[in-house]
Amino acid sequence: MKVLLDTCVLYPTVMREMLLGAAGQGLFTPLWSARILEEWALAARKIGPGGEAQARAEIAMTGVNWPKAQVTWPPSLESRLWLPDANDVHVLAAAVAGSADVIVTMNAKDFPRNLLAEEGLSRVDPDAFLQGLFEANPEALAHVATRVLGEARRLSGEDWTLRALMKKARLPRLGKALDR
């Protein structure tokens, strides 16, 4: 399954690490565009002075780890597509150009299901997407979550529980499923 990852699911670290960890387990093939990655870098400015530089380093490593994930398309593709927010048309264009099956985004209102269906696409929020992957592949997702939890503890110095970390990362249903 090919999955287009929107900026809003790549920018938050824990969410990104869970998604790319699942992709690393072979559970799906990730896709994005140069513009999506640029939006991630610019969003990271919110962290502080070093946020953008850190994001650009992470983006470079992501490109090394997923060299076939970045898609391109001719300008004519974007000109024939429409979404309620014109600033999101590039995301739909990337999904269409990459022959994605689904767009993982937190931005449901700007990706109406009926418009996506016209392009043979669906959308899902990252929590539901990861929970579905967990139900189908519990060992693989548990392995990813354990790794992400260990890294969160190491970097933050806090003794996170898995459920609390997933809830903070806006993945509460996944956290609950992993906690069973």
CSV table of all heavy atoms in Angstrom, one decimal, residues 30 64 68 86 138:
chain,number,residue,atom,x,y,z
A,30,PRO,N,5.9,4.8,2.1
A,30,PRO,CA,5.6,6.2,2.3
A,30,PRO,C,5.9,7.0,1.0
A,30,PRO,O,6.8,6.7,0.3
A,30,PRO,CB,6.6,6.6,3.4
A,30,PRO,CG,7.8,5.7,3.2
A,30,PRO,CD,7.2,4.4,2.7
A,64,VAL,N,17.6,9.9,2.7
A,64,VAL,CA,18.6,8.8,2.6
A,64,VAL,C,17.9,7.4,2.8
A,64,VAL,O,18.1,6.5,2.1
A,64,VAL,CB,19.8,9.0,3.5
A,64,VAL,CG1,20.7,7.7,3.6
A,64,VAL,CG2,20.6,10.2,3.1
A,68,LYS,N,13.1,6.6,-2.6
A,68,LYS,CA,12.1,6.5,-3.7
A,68,LYS,C,10.8,7.1,-3.2
A,68,LYS,O,9.8,7.0,-3.9
A,68,LYS,CB,11.9,5.1,-4.1
A,68,LYS,CG,13.1,4.5,-4.8
A,68,LYS,CD,12.9,3.1,-5.2
A,68,LYS,CE,14.2,2.5,-5.8
A,68,LYS,NZ,14.1,1.1,-6.2
A,86,ALA,N,-6.8,25.9,-1.4
A,86,ALA,CA,-5.9,25.8,-2.6
A,86,ALA,C,-4.5,25.5,-2.2
A,86,ALA,O,-3.7,24.9,-2.9
A,86,ALA,CB,-5.9,27.1,-3.4
A,138,PRO,N,0.4,-6.7,15.1
A,138,PRO,CA,0.7,-6.2,16.5
A,138,PRO,C,2.2,-6.3,16.9
A,138,PRO,O,2.7,-5.3,17.5
A,138,PRO,CB,-0.2,-7.1,17.4
A,138,PRO,CG,-0.6,-8.2,16.5
A,138,PRO,CD,-0.6,-7.8,15.1
